[in-house]
Structures are given as C-alpha cells and as structure tokens.
Amino acid sequence: MFLTDSHAHLDFYTETPTDRDEVLRRAYAAGVHTILAIGIGDGPATMHQALEIANATNGPDLPKIYATAGIHPQEATSATKEALAKLTALAADPRCIAIGEIGLDYYHFDNPDIATQQLAFTAQMYIAAQTRKPIIIHCRTSELATPQAKEKYGTADAWEDLLALIEQHWTHPGHGIAHGGIMHCFSGTVEQAQRSIDAGFHLSFAGNLTYPKAQSIRDAAAAASADRILVETDAPFLAPIPLRGQRNEPALVTHTAAALATLRGISPEELATLTTNNFKNLFPTTR
C-alpha cells in the first residue's frame, strides 16, 4: 500500500540537522512514497526551499519529492514584480509541478486587504497558465475569525470571491486554460466541493477531516467524485486524531487516509491506490 501526501511543508523540519531526513524515512516506512513539498517558505525570499529539497532528496528509503512554488495570500503584499519573476523561474524546473499554495484568506486581521490578495492570486494564476502548471488553492473564510477580522473583511465571502476569480481568470472557456489544480485542505461544504470539481479541481483532505466538529467536511469527502479525491497532511500542521495537537508529519497521513476510506466504504488499500492514481493523473510527470 503506497500513499501520496499531496501537501506538506518540508522546509519546516529544522529542529535538528537530521530532523527532515528522519521525518522522510518515517514517511517511507509508513508507506508514504510520494510527497508534494509546498514552496511558500516564509514569503517569496524563501519559496525556493521546497524545490531545493525535492532536487536534493534521493535514496532507497526516502519518498519521491516534488515541489510547488507560490506566494501565500498572507504574503500578498510581497507579490512584487521581482517576486513574480522569481516564481516564473522556479516554475520552469521540471520538479516544480504546480503553483501554490495561492488563493484568499479572510481569517486573520493582519492579512492583506482583499484587493491586494486578489491581485496577487490573479497574477499567479496567469503565471501558472503560462507555465502550464496546475494551481494549489488556499481558501479560508472569515466565519470563525476574530471580531476585528470580521470587521475588516465585512460580508466578503472568500469562497465566492475565489470561485469567481477562478472562473474569470482560470477556467473561462475563452482563455483556453484547463490545467486544473487542488483545493488544499478542503474545508468547505458539499455544494462548494461540487463547484470546485466542476471547475476542474481535485479535493485534498487533511487531518481536520478526523476532528469531531468537522461533519461538513466529512459530508463533502463522502460525496465527492472518486476520481477527484486526495489526501494530505499540511504538515507540520493539523495532525489527525488521535495525535491532534502534536507536530504533524507525512507518515501520519495514514490516519487521514483510513478515516477517508471508512467514510467512502472502501479499504485503506483501495483508498491508497485511488488517491495515488488521482495524484498521478493530475501530475502526469510523477508517473
């Protein structure tokens, strides 16, 4: 049984000189043989780190690592001409298989204003189109945000804004763009899941799928088309039950995969094969 972790921040594992190697060996031993390392860093200045890890990782007991590059919506003010040029250059590397994570985040008060976030998101969609790379989407609404954030973002709905921008700049028939992508850490409703699938996206489910209050996510995971589901850790964040609150790592995607298999009434082995094949279909160069 081989699993694919479709979203992990491997550049965060720096507690000791051997921390990342140990994490990767545990992942391989757990059956996680492919990992997509997310290249946002702490902002554009370090978004190349995931690609460096992907190109440097090679060994019989280590997963195959692929990378992305992108500017997170929290860093949208840093999406300068120079930063976007750097992103374009990184995307030219064959091991960089997607642009992301990019999108909208109306959750934190200190995030950039809506117009700045949307401009950075749109610019990166066009880079993805030019380089023929899928996009990895981050979307977080203000529903559970602090009162200050709710006041800042008002009645704006990140999901509605996101899907509208995708329709306008990514999937619009007149643009001839159909490279798809992933709704990372999908946390929306059944309806939002279907709208995302209709727009050409895969849905990736993380450890929060296992949390007691996440019934709407489980409903979406159970209803989604079989050929559009993936699993991820978002490591080192969002460790699944029974390890919630601990540092997450790719090996623990097995817990999320088991929960998703149960929801869909299939075996963990079938789920592993299904999600790995879905990943390979979205990213043919990983076959």
Side-chain angles (χ1 to χ4, degrees):
M1 179 179 79
F2 301 140
L3 277 161
T4 297
D5 181 353
S6 68
H7 195 107
H9 298 270
L10 296 182
D11 49 335
F12 281 53
Y13 295 105
T14 57
E15 291 185 5
T16 69
T18 60
D19 190 15
R20 186 180 302 116
D21 285 343
E22 292 167 6
V23 164
L24 293 176
R25 288 193 173 90
R26 285 194 293 270
Y28 192 87
V32 182
H33 287 193
T34 304
I35 300 172
L36 182 55
I38 304 303
I40 57 170
D42 294 319
T46 52
M47 65 179 169
H48 59 279
Q49 291 177 338
L51 185 57
E52 289 181 347
I53 293 168
N55 282 322
T57 302
N58 185 35
D61 59 345
L62 297 172
K64 190 79 169 178
I65 310 296
Y66 297 93
T68 74
I71 302 169
H72 192 281
Q74 291 180 344
E75 301 291 334
T77 54
S78 299
T80 62
K81 180 179 179 181
E82 292 75 18
L84 294 171
K86 177 180 178 179
L87 174 58
T88 303
L90 291 172
D93 189 305
R95 193 59 68 86
C96 180
I97 61 174
I99 302 300
E101 59 190 277
I102 62 176
L104 302 175
D105 191 317
Y106 299 172
Y107 184 80
H108 293 291
F109 174 75
D110 56 355
N111 282 355
D113 62 80
I114 289 174
T116 300
Q117 289 193 41
Q118 293 190 2
L119 186 61
F121 179 39
T122 301
Q124 292 180 93
M125 280 193 282
Y126 277 96
I127 290 172
Q130 291 165 6
T131 57
R132 304 190 69 79
K133 308 282 184 177
I135 52 179
I136 311 298
I137 296 294
H138 171 105
C139 183
R140 202 172 189 190
T141 69
S142 58
E143 293 172 5
L144 302 176
T146 63
Q148 294 92 337
K150 288 183 178 179
E151 182 178 355
K152 176 178 180 177
Y153 295 110
T155 59
D157 186 310
W159 264 108
E160 291 301 322
D161 289 354
L162 180 92
L163 290 170
L165 289 169
I166 285 171
E167 196 281 331
Q168 183 179 358
H169 300 285
W170 186 248
T171 60
H172 192 283
H175 296 161
I177 300 169
H179 308 305
I182 300 173
M183 293 294 182
H184 137 68
C185 190
F186 184 81
S187 303
T189 64
V190 171
E191 188 238 354
Q192 289 163 343
Q194 189 57 53
R195 290 171 68 188
S196 299
I197 290 171
D198 290 344
F201 286 84
H202 287 60
L203 311 179
S204 186
F205 295 97
N208 57 344
L209 177 79
T210 69
Y211 296 173
K213 295 182 179 180
Q215 189 57 49
S216 64
I217 304 175
R218 287 189 286 275
D219 291 343
S225 303
D227 63 346
R228 295 296 187 89
I229 59 173
L230 302 167
V231 287
E232 65 169 87
T233 54
D234 198 18
F237 315 107
L238 291 178
I241 300 290
L243 300 166
R244 185 177 184 180
Q246 300 183 28
R247 186 181 79 159
N248 201 4
E249 60 180 69
L252 303 185
V253 78
T254 54
H255 294 280
T256 301
L260 184 56
T262 298
L263 281 171
R264 298 188 65 91
I266 61 177
S267 71
E269 291 78 14
E270 290 173 307
L271 191 283
T273 299
L274 174 65
T275 53
T276 292
N277 286 341
N278 288 347
F279 185 87
K280 291 178 180 179
N281 288 337
L282 178 58
F283 302 109
T285 59
T286 66
R287 291 174 181 162

